[in-house]
Amino acid sequence: MPILFVHAAAVSLAATQAGIERIRKPVAIRHALATDIVDPRAMFFAHDDVDYARIRHAVTSHLHGDESRVILSCSVYNGFASRLENDLGLPVERSDEAGARLVTTRGERIGLAVSYPPSYAVVEARLMEISQEEGRATTLVPLLADNAFAFADDVDRYERVLLAAVADAPEVDAIFLAQYSMDPYAPRISEATRVPVVSALEATLASL
């Protein structure tokens, strides 16, 4: 039974396809690209019923009826995962779930890299929930303030901004790249910082 990945941007789709090719797991996967569900230049996201209707439509319009689960690759919609799961009667996973569970085991001070500002609070809340559930003390250090996702399709510029952000970060025990579009740059970031780097996409794919 295939897994359906729902993407809001072509860069996230491309990163996921490259990651799947890299791990070479015999898993049936389908992709849905719904570029109309997110404004990449927006600095605010309401997370209201209108937004829920938008992601619900994006998911249901691409379901074939044989899926084993749905994975939301767009982190700003992660807060709707449980609601979608209850609504659709189908497992729906957050893009950051596997990575958040992994990175909180890597130390107390976590550098959190989120390239789309409206997603920061969504990822932050889940990281803190997991830390509390597992009795860990976690301090999150924001690594990006700019809306880098607005130019994520400019590969060179996106990489420069990400590398500059982590280079200027205070001392951290690990770095969490919370958005799938960041995954291609994980090796460079690891090399530049010499601390453990957890990619949300890589962690998700490893859990399949």
Side-chain angles (χ1 to χ4, degrees), residues 119-198:
S119 294
Y120 188 90
V122 178
V123 180
E124 176 187 43
R126 187 60 186 140
L127 282 164
M128 298 312 296
E129 286 174 357
I130 290 171
S131 295
Q132 291 173 6
E133 287 171 8
E134 303 192 358
R136 296 192 178 97
T138 298
T139 300
L140 299 180
V141 180
L143 299 185
L144 270 172
D146 297 331
N147 184 1
F149 191 66
F151 50 81
D153 55 351
D154 183 339
V155 174
D156 292 336
R157 184 182 177 190
Y158 196 47
E159 181 178 35
R160 285 197 307 271
V161 169
L162 293 179
L163 288 172
V166 299
D168 293 339
E171 186 174 340
V172 295
D173 298 312
I175 292 172
F176 185 35
L177 304 181
Q179 290 173 289
Y180 284 11
S181 59
M182 297 177 171
D183 181 73
Y185 312 103
R188 289 286 308 278
I189 291 171
S190 179
E191 180 182 355
T193 60
R194 299 192 181 280
V195 299
V197 174
V198 173

Side-chain angles (χ1 to χ4, degrees), residues 108-121:
E108 181 176 334
R109 287 177 58 81
I110 306 299
L112 177 53
V114 176
S115 60
Y116 187 55
S119 294
Y120 188 90

Side-chain angles (χ1 to χ4, degrees), residues 8 13 51 54 116 149:
L13 169 59
D51 292 324
R54 193 175 291 120
Y116 187 55
F149 191 66

